[in-house]
Amino acid sequence: MSVVEIVVLVAAGGVGAGARYLMDGAVMRGRRRAFPLGILVVNALGSFLLGLLTGIPQLAPAWLTILGVGLLGGFTTFSAVAVESVLLGQNGRREWAWMNLLATVGVCVVAAAIGFTIGGLFPR
């Protein structure tokens, strides 16, 4: 990658992280001490979009890296899932902790597969 592409990659990561913060906040507004649905929505959407980008045959590798690793890498987060699950467990909500972990894996894998399938429909 060129220096310019690396700078764009880093900037895209910042944009993705900011978008995660805003989307999580919008979903969780008024839902204190509730199931962490915001991060699940963020990770499902990010998984779908990464699957979509990966499935598009004519997407240049540099752009796949910038958008996938940078933008969507900044947008999605496993660390928040891990922390939220631990906090749920510590607060006596072990069922929610397990549901958070299992739903994240299940929903995100399905979302990525759907995105990849749709991306594969683009003409070659």
Side-chain angles (χ1 to χ4, degrees):
M1 291 188 84
S2 71
V3 173
V4 170
E5 290 170 331
I6 291 172
V7 169
V8 173
L9 174 111
V10 170
V15 169
R20 173 185 358 118
Y21 175 79
L22 293 173
M23 180 172 276
D24 179 38
V27 171
M28 295 303 293
R29 186 167 290 123
R31 303 186 68 221
R32 295 177 59 170
R33 298 181 47 95
F35 182 82
L37 183 62
I39 292 298
L40 179 59
V41 168
V42 163
N43 284 334
L45 178 60
S47 296
F48 169 78
L49 292 173
L50 184 57
L52 180 69
L53 291 174
T54 303
I56 297 174
Q58 62 272 59
L59 188 63
W63 278 108
L64 180 58
T65 300
I66 289 166
L67 296 173
V69 175
L71 182 68
L72 295 174
F75 183 63
T76 59
T77 174
F78 181 76
S79 59
V81 173
V83 168
E84 291 287 352
S85 297
V86 168
L87 291 173
L88 286 168
Q90 287 178 342
N91 290 326
R93 295 182 170 172
R94 294 191 201 308
E95 299 83 13
W96 281 16
W98 281 109
M99 185 170 34
N100 188 39
L101 291 170
L102 296 174
T104 297
V105 171
V107 168
C108 291
V109 168
V110 169
I114 292 169
F116 188 78
T117 300
I118 293 171
L121 298 175
F122 283 73
R124 297 195 183 278

